[in-house]
Amino acid sequence: MIVKRRFVAYYRVSTRKQGQSGLGLDAQRAAVANHLGDELGNVLAEFTEVESGRRNDRPALDAALTAARLHRASLVVAKVDRLTRSVGFLERILEAGVDVRFADLPAIEGPTGRFMLQQMAAVAELEAGLISTRTKAALAAAKARGQRLGGHRGGSISEEARRQGRDTQSSLADRRARDIAPVLKQLRVEGIASPTAIARALTGRGIPTARGGTTWSGPQVRLIEARLARAGQLRPSPTRQ
């Protein structure tokens, strides 16, 4: 079965520069439409950021990234400089874990595209330098404590590494639950409340599961609800199926 690719479009306009240099909203939409061609119908949502020149927050970008994660869709931007002029924007993209496509640079997509994007913004070099510095410092500190380095290749993992792994997985699960929370609340407003009914609704709406599956189950919904309930973001659903 061929999986249809899905997209979320993100536009940025300035109150001062909207009509200059081909960066107006109409021009950006036209660039995205030309880039996607027959796939334009696969755009799930559009988000437009209107910049005042004084704001550092980007609520439309955050909303676009949330939608892209929720639907396992790619973020589409008209021009590469709409994001890469700011390292902060790039960091948000990389941390969000979504694929990004630029209409003026079609080659930038997937793992290779992410690497190219990092190089263009000089982030990869900085990140590698910081990681190298931290690694060397950690090794030096471990050696100073008398910890034996190297030699053993049994593949054992320290308890600290295990804890960090669990924390990372938990953080990703929390983020996924937060992304789905608005959908669950809307379903309840529509009278869809039991885990089984919610699972059918999520499947029908084409929202992927945490592992990228296409079919939801009641237990999966309960896990999401339990995580949100612990965070005080959602009431537990009725027990009746």
Side-chain angles (χ1 to χ4, degrees):
M1 181 179 67
I2 298 177
V3 179
K4 183 172 64 174
R5 293 194 294 183
R6 295 181 284 188
F7 307 96
V8 170
Y10 173 70
Y11 309 112
R12 288 177 62 199
V13 295
S14 170
T15 54
R16 293 178 291 105
K17 300 178 181 179
Q18 183 171 352
Q20 301 177 12
S21 305
L23 300 181
L25 182 57
D26 290 342
Q28 292 182 58
R29 282 179 171 156
V32 168
N34 182 65
H35 171 61
L36 294 180
D38 294 339
E39 293 184 301
L40 183 60
N42 298 345
V43 175
L44 303 174
E46 294 184 342
F47 297 85
T48 302
E49 200 89 71
V50 180
E51 301 173 313
S52 66
R54 293 187 296 270
R55 282 172 34 192
N56 291 321
D57 61 318
R58 294 292 183 266
L61 177 60
D62 292 337
L65 293 174
T66 296
R69 283 197 307 266
L70 177 63
H71 294 282
R72 295 286 194 264
S74 297
L75 187 73
V76 185
V77 183
K79 295 178 69 68
V80 68
D81 64 357
R82 292 284 81 193
L83 287 182
T84 56
R85 290 184 305 180
S86 169
V87 173
F89 286 168
L90 180 62
E91 289 176 343
R92 288 193 193 186
I93 295 293
L94 295 174
E95 291 173 0
V98 303
D99 286 331
V100 187
R101 294 177 60 170
F102 295 93
D104 56 342
L105 284 176
I108 296 187
E109 63 174 304
T112 302
R114 287 173 66 82
F115 174 75
M116 291 174 61
L117 200 57
Q118 288 175 314
Q119 293 292 78
M120 290 171 59
V123 172
E125 181 179 357
L126 174 60
E127 186 176 32
L130 292 175
I131 291 175
S132 177
T133 300
R134 288 196 297 267
T135 300
K136 290 178 181 178
L139 290 174
K143 187 175 182 179
R145 293 194 302 269
Q147 183 175 340
R148 186 176 180 180
L149 304 177
H152 176 63
R153 300 184 183 276
S156 62
I157 302 176
S158 69
E159 183 56 35
E160 175 63 18
R162 293 178 189 275
R163 185 191 63 77
Q164 291 180 357
R166 290 193 296 269
D167 289 346
T168 298
Q169 290 299 319
S170 179
S171 177
L172 291 174
D174 286 340
R175 186 176 72 179
R176 181 63 177 166
R178 289 194 301 270
D179 289 343
I180 296 177
V183 181
L184 298 184
K185 292 177 181 178
Q186 180 58 39
L187 289 175
R188 290 187 177 185
V189 170
E190 297 172 7
I192 303 173
S194 75
T196 299
I198 291 174
R200 285 196 296 265
L202 293 175
T203 300
R205 295 189 180 197
I207 296 176
T209 66
R211 295 181 180 274
T214 58
T215 303
W216 284 79
S217 67
Q220 288 175 314
V221 172
R222 283 198 176 280
L223 288 175
I224 293 288
E225 290 182 329
R227 190 171 288 274
L228 291 171
R230 286 196 297 270
Q233 297 177 317
L234 192 74
R235 292 181 295 102
S237 66
T239 57
R240 191 180 63 173
Q241 300 296 308

